[in-house]
Amino acid sequence: DVPRSPALTTAGPSRVFVGKGDCVEDRIVTVGQTVEAGAEITSGLKPGDRVATRNVPQLADGMPVAL
């Protein structure tokens, strides 16, 4: 599960940013059940993927970040 906001975008396909090395990668995900605080991701993530949950509106694919 990931936080519903701001990790998931609301316009178009659902997306999250995943830490990859010292950058973030934009991933399209499939959302299953949602609850007030979170959302089940049914595809697009692997166990151990680190999903960005802070400053998401400022992120862009390939942007360097400190994890």
Side-chain angles (χ1 to χ4, degrees), residues 1-5 8 31-41:
D1 291 357
V2 298
R4 279 183 75 181
S5 178
L8 298 173
V31 179
Q33 295 182 346
T34 60
V35 293
E36 186 174 319
E40 172 190 31
I41 303 300

Side-chain angles (χ1 to χ4, degrees), residues 2-66:
V2 298
R4 279 183 75 181
S5 178
L8 298 173
T9 57
T10 56
S14 295
R15 298 174 180 269
V16 296
F17 287 99
V18 176
K20 188 157 181 122
D22 59 353
C23 297
V24 289
E25 176 180 271
D26 182 6
R27 295 247 189 104
I28 295 175
V29 295
T30 302
V31 179
Q33 295 182 346
T34 60
V35 293
E36 186 174 319
E40 172 190 31
I41 303 300
T42 59
S43 69
L45 293 177
K46 297 176 291 202
D49 280 345
R50 296 176 57 174
V51 175
T53 59
R54 295 186 301 178
N55 300 320
V56 173
Q58 289 81 31
L59 296 177
D61 190 46
M63 176 181 270
V65 295

